């Protein structure tokens, strides 16, 4: 079960890169951020504060499922409801760092993530995939980009999705999430020692995909 681990902060193009790479190399794709988002939505629906000790039992009782959608996107269900759009709201984005800092929540979701590995090649994106979830992954990539480049990308995505967006606010939110995700005690965001660092600030999506496809064929080609 070769695994390609793709980690990095928000706004590096990670999701698009991981999804497109999986498509190019004929791999399954797993978006672990979507699991933390679904867990956060479960916590909000239960009326529990995101930083309280009560989040873990709520997440333990929630049935979170990820399945491939018709266009290569992931369909996320929470207790049988399709929540694929609901997990992308600002309300969820605002609380997800607090919920994902909970060590027990991480244990529960890591177990769920590992259950997705089977005989197929799997591209997994997240924050701790190469460090914690799949430490023996055949290829680990850490995508980086300057906070300004990442905020600019998020801002453009917001505008094209018809969402209101102020660049300075997006930059502040990127910096805030970076800080929370990289300073939390449980599995902080960091590159694995053996990860290949790819700075996407001045790269197009196609350039990033070409680089990663090359890495997959170098590292995994012979395993398949
Ligand atoms: O990739 P994303 O923006 O959808 O991730 C949402 C949040 O989930 C992000 O702020 C950090 C958290 N996360 C995590 O802690 N560990 C992961 N493996 C994936 C995401």
């Amino acid at each position: 079960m070769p695994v390609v681990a793709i980690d990095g902060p928000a706004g590096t193009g990670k999701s698009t890169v991981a999804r497109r790479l999986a498509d190019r190399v004929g791999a399954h794709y797993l978006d672990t951020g979507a699991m933390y988002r679904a867990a956060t939505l479960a916590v909000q629906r239960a009326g529990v504060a995101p930083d309280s000790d009560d989040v873990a039992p709520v997440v333990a009782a929630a049935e979170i499922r990820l399945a491939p959608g018709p266009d290569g996107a992931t369909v996320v269900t929470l207790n049988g409801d399709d929540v694929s759009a609901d997990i992308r709201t600002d309300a969820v984005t605002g609380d997800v760092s607090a919920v994902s800092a909970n060590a027990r929540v991480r244990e529960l979701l890591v177990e769920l993530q590992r259950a997705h590995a089977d005989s197929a090649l799997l591209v997994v994106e997240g924050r701790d995939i190469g460090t914690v979830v799949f430490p023996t992954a055949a290829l680990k990539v850490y995508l980086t980009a300057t906070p300004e480049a990442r905020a600019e990308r998020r801002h453009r995505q917001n505008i094209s999705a018809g969402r209101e967006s102020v660049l300075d606010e997006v930059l502040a939110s990127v910096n805030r999430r970076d800080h929370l995700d990289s300073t939390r005690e449980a599995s902080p965001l960091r590159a694995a020692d053996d990860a290949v660092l790819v700075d996407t600030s001045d790269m197009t999506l196609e350039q990033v995909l070409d680089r990663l496809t090359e890495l997959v064929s170098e590292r995994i080609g012979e395993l398949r």
Side-chain angles (χ1 to χ4, degrees):
M1 55 120 204
V3 167
V4 176
I6 303 188
D7 290 303
T12 49
K14 197 162 26 94
S15 293
T16 312
V17 166
R19 196 164 59 232
R20 294 271 307 272
L21 178 70
D23 191 46
R24 263 201 195 185
V25 301
H28 291 172
Y29 160 66
L30 182 62
D31 173 1
T32 63
M35 286 186 182
Y36 287 94
R37 288 174 177 274
T40 302
L41 187 63
V43 166
Q44 290 178 337
R45 287 186 173 174
V48 165
D51 54 357
S52 98
D53 286 343
D54 297 337
V55 299
V58 173
V59 176
E63 191 189 68
I64 297 168
R65 293 235 168 107
L66 267 60
D71 52 358
T74 303
V75 174
V76 182
T77 57
L78 171 63
N79 302 324
D81 273 357
D82 183 344
V83 294
S84 310
D86 299 344
I87 62 169
R88 305 283 164 196
T89 61
D90 285 346
V92 169
T93 303
D95 282 348
V96 69
S97 288
V99 172
S100 59
N102 183 294
R104 179 68 190 132
V105 167
R106 302 200 71 83
E107 272 173 22
L108 290 163
L109 296 189
V110 166
E111 199 179 316
L112 206 58
Q113 290 156 22
R114 288 184 179 145
H116 278 257
D118 54 24
S119 55
L121 178 62
L122 182 66
V123 174
V124 191
E125 64 148 304
R127 303 292 193 284
D128 58 343
I129 309 306
T131 51
V132 175
V133 186
F134 293 110
T136 61
L139 171 64
K140 300 178 186 179
V141 175
Y142 191 84
L143 294 184
T144 61
T146 61
E148 289 73 19
R150 293 188 283 125
E152 180 75 43
R153 279 193 193 129
R154 270 289 139 97
H155 178 63
R156 272 189 271 126
Q157 276 168 1
N158 287 344
I159 303 280
S160 60
R163 288 190 292 266
E164 234 177 84
S165 189
V166 177
L167 183 57
D168 283 352
E169 287 172 12
V170 179
L171 179 60
S173 143
V174 162
N175 282 326
R176 179 178 154 271
R177 272 219 286 164
D178 278 2
H179 178 73
L180 290 172
D181 294 344
S182 55
T183 57
R184 69 175 176 227
E185 230 166 88
S187 313
L189 169 68
R190 69 169 184 85
D193 294 338
D194 52 350
V196 180
L197 257 60
V198 179
D199 186 332
T200 70
S201 305
D202 297 314
M203 289 172 87
T204 64
L205 172 63
E206 292 304 320
Q207 287 170 332
V208 178
L209 280 169
D210 288 347
R211 173 82 182 111
L212 267 52
T213 307
E214 197 178 272
L215 287 166
V216 170
S217 54
E218 270 170 34
R219 300 278 182 95
I220 300 176
E222 70 274 19
L223 299 177
R224 306 178 72 200

